[in-house]
Amino acid sequence: MIGNKDLQDIVSMFSTESAATSVRPLGPGFINDTFIVGTESGRRYILQRKNHNVFPDIPGMMQNILSVTEHLKKKITEEGGDPMREAMTVVKRTDGGLYYKDMSGNYWAMTVFIEGSVTYESADTPELAFKGGKGIGKFQTMLADFTTPLNETIKGFHNIRWRFTQWDEALRRDAAGRVKNLSEEIGWIESRRKEMLDFWTLVENGAIPTRVTHNDTKISNILFDKNTNDVLCVIDLDTCMSSTSLNDFGDAIRSYTNTGKEDDTDLSRVSMSPDMFRAYTRGYLSQRKDSLTECEKEYLAFSARYITYEQVLRFLMDHIDGDTYYKTAYPEHNLVRTRAQYRLLQSMESQYGAMVDTVMECLR
C-alpha cells in the first residue's frame, strides 16, 4: 500500500497549478488505481497508477491519449465549446513527459478533474441510454478526420482472429484441467467460429473501415453535467486505438441492454432489452448516420452479437486457464459469467431481425 507522502511526491513530478494538499482514492480500481488530488489553488486532478500488466505499452497509450484529446480540444474550440470540460486534459510531467515511472517500475499519469460532473454505473432508463449513444456517436464523429497513427496498446483487442489463436492454445494447454467438463460450453464457441471470422474478414479487407475507437463504451466512461445531465465528455481513453467503430457500438449494446448482471446466477433475469437497444441506437445514429458506410450500417446490429460472443469466449477461456486474467470471487465465477453472457447472446440472436429493423428505422 503506497503511503500519502509517496503519493504527494509523485504528484510533485507533474505540472499542477499549485502544490498538493490531499491525495485520496477514487473509485473501485478494477484495472488502474485512481486517486483524486486536491491542491492549494482549489483545482483538482486525477492521478492514476496505470496497470502495465494489462497495458504493456504505457508510453504508447499515453501518446494515443494526448493525440486524441488534442484533436478533440481543437474541434470543440472551433465549435464554440469548452475544451476544458468537454475533453480530458493530460497534465504533463514538469519536464514535459506524459507519465512518471517510479523506482518500483509503476507508471503514473495525471489529468485535470472536470468539476460539476457525474458518472453512472449503469444505464437504467431509455433516456440515459439515448444520451450515452449520442455521446459515443459525437466522440466518433469528432474523430472522423483524425489521421495520426495510433499505437496498438493491447494486442488483438476485439480481433476475433487473434482471440481464436489464444483460444486454441488455451484448449491445448488445459492449464486447470477443466476442458473435460466443458464440452457444451466449448460447443457454443465452435459453432459460431466461422460466422465471427467472416465478419472480421470484412474489417481485414477494408470493406468495413478502420477508425478511431474507444473500445470500452460502458456508461461509466461518460461524464455528465451535474446540472443539466447532458453528456460532457468521454473518459478513460486507455484503450483508444484504431479498429472498426462497430466495436464501440456493439460493446455499448452488450453493456446497456442487459436486463441482468454480467455474472447473474439466475439466467431467467438475463436478456437484451429492445427498448434500451432502440434508445441507444437512436442516440448513436443521431450523430453517425450520415458518416457510416453502407457496410457499417448493415453490420451495426450484428456487432452487438460479435462483441458479446467475444466476451463469452474470453470468460470461458480464462476459466479454462485457471482464472489468470479477470478477478474472481469464487472458483466458478468465470464460468458463471460465461453462461450469463451466453444467455445474453442467445437473446440477441432471437431478436436479431427486430434489431436490424430498429437500425433501419433510426437511419431514416
Side-chain angles (χ1 to χ4, degrees), residues 57 59-61 63-64 149-154 240-242:
D57 183 11
M61 180 185 76
Q63 187 57 58
N64 286 357
L150 292 175
N151 299 294
E152 187 180 30
T153 56
I154 301 180
C240 214
M241 290 179 278
S242 297

Side-chain angles (χ1 to χ4, degrees), residues 164-351:
F164 278 132
T165 297
Q166 295 178 310
W167 165 257
D168 291 338
E169 290 174 355
L171 290 181
R172 178 185 53 79
R173 281 193 309 269
D174 192 13
R178 291 169 168 172
V179 166
K180 63 181 180 296
N181 299 318
L182 299 170
S183 58
E184 181 180 6
E185 289 83 359
I186 291 170
W188 300 342
I189 302 301
E190 294 299 338
S191 65
R192 294 165 175 81
R193 183 190 284 246
K194 182 181 183 303
E195 181 180 36
M196 298 302 163
L197 284 172
D198 286 347
F199 168 77
W200 193 249
T201 298
L202 295 174
V203 179
E204 292 173 324
N205 66 24
I208 294 175
T210 297
R211 306 179 186 271
V212 180
T213 50
H214 184 280
N215 293 303
D216 188 11
T217 49
K218 57 181 178 284
I219 197 166
S220 59
N221 284 334
I222 296 178
L223 290 186
F224 292 81
D225 187 286
K226 188 175 183 179
N227 296 318
T228 66
N229 209 35
D230 290 332
V231 171
L232 278 176
C233 70
V234 177
I235 59 172
D236 195 3
L237 304 182
D238 293 4
T239 53
C240 214
M241 290 179 278
S242 297
S243 189
T244 166
S245 60
L246 300 186
N247 287 344
D248 282 355
F249 180 85
D251 194 32
I253 295 303
R254 183 186 76 85
S255 170
Y256 280 67
T257 67
N258 191 350
T259 59
K261 296 184 296 184
E262 191 174 69
D263 59 352
D264 218 314
T265 55
D266 183 353
L267 297 182
S268 69
R269 292 191 292 238
V270 178
S271 65
M272 189 205 77
S273 164
D275 292 338
M276 295 295 278
F277 178 81
R278 182 176 294 104
Y280 187 90
T281 303
R282 281 181 51 242
Y284 178 78
L285 288 177
S286 72
Q287 305 296 306
R288 298 289 286 142
K289 66 180 179 181
D290 294 331
S291 51
L292 294 177
T293 67
E294 290 306 310
C295 196
E296 286 175 303
K297 295 172 185 176
E298 180 183 351
Y299 282 91
L300 197 64
F302 183 82
S303 70
R305 292 168 54 187
Y306 174 84
I307 292 293
T308 305
Y309 170 88
E310 181 196 29
Q311 198 58 62
V312 175
L313 183 152
R314 291 181 66 192
F315 282 145
L316 185 56
M317 182 165 60
D318 198 35
H319 179 68
I320 289 169
D321 270 338
D323 311 311
T324 60
Y325 185 86
Y326 294 107
K327 292 180 181 178
T328 56
Y330 50 90
E332 300 295 300
H333 199 174
N334 272 323
L335 186 57
V336 168
R337 289 166 168 154
T338 299
R339 290 167 176 163
Q341 284 293 284
Y342 183 65
R343 179 56 60 91
L344 179 62
L345 175 62
Q346 287 180 303
S347 180
M348 290 177 178
E349 290 172 340
S350 70
Q351 299 182 70

